[in-house]
Amino acid sequence: MPRSKQRKHHHEQHKHPSTPAKAGKSRNAVMVGVIFFALLGMGIGFFATGGSILWILLGALAGGVGGYFFGKQIDKSLADK
């Protein structure tokens, strides 16, 4: 008969709960800022150049980058409170 000291014991395997999304940690202001400023940049590019597609796209890109940083700052200021 095998001795119990040499047997490997079965340990209960605990399932780790998946990490739930943190409540209140929404990045909604970033997305709204990106969309709003991209549309604003597209409008400025359209009216400033008379409808050149290249400048409309560059205006949307520049507006999106600006909106990202603006939204990120809004989220940061709301998280501090």
Side-chain angles (χ1 to χ4, degrees):
M1 247 178 147
R3 292 188 284 178
S4 62
K5 288 183 181 179
Q6 292 178 347
R7 285 188 193 173
K8 292 184 179 179
H9 299 285
H10 296 286
H11 298 283
E12 290 186 26
Q13 304 238 347
H14 299 287
K15 290 185 179 180
H16 297 286
S18 62
T19 54
K22 294 181 182 177
K25 196 71 172 161
S26 174
R27 297 288 179 188
N28 197 17
V30 174
M31 187 57 75
V32 171
V34 167
I35 292 171
F36 178 73
F37 280 90
L39 289 173
L40 187 66
M42 286 174 67
I44 291 172
F46 177 76
F47 289 114
T49 63
S52 174
I53 298 295
L54 175 66
W55 288 106
I56 292 173
L57 292 176
L58 286 175
L61 181 67
V65 169
Y68 172 78
F69 288 116
F70 179 76
K72 195 171 181 182
Q73 196 71 332
I74 293 293
D75 276 342
K76 185 178 176 183
S77 68
L78 290 176
D80 290 341
K81 292 182 178 182

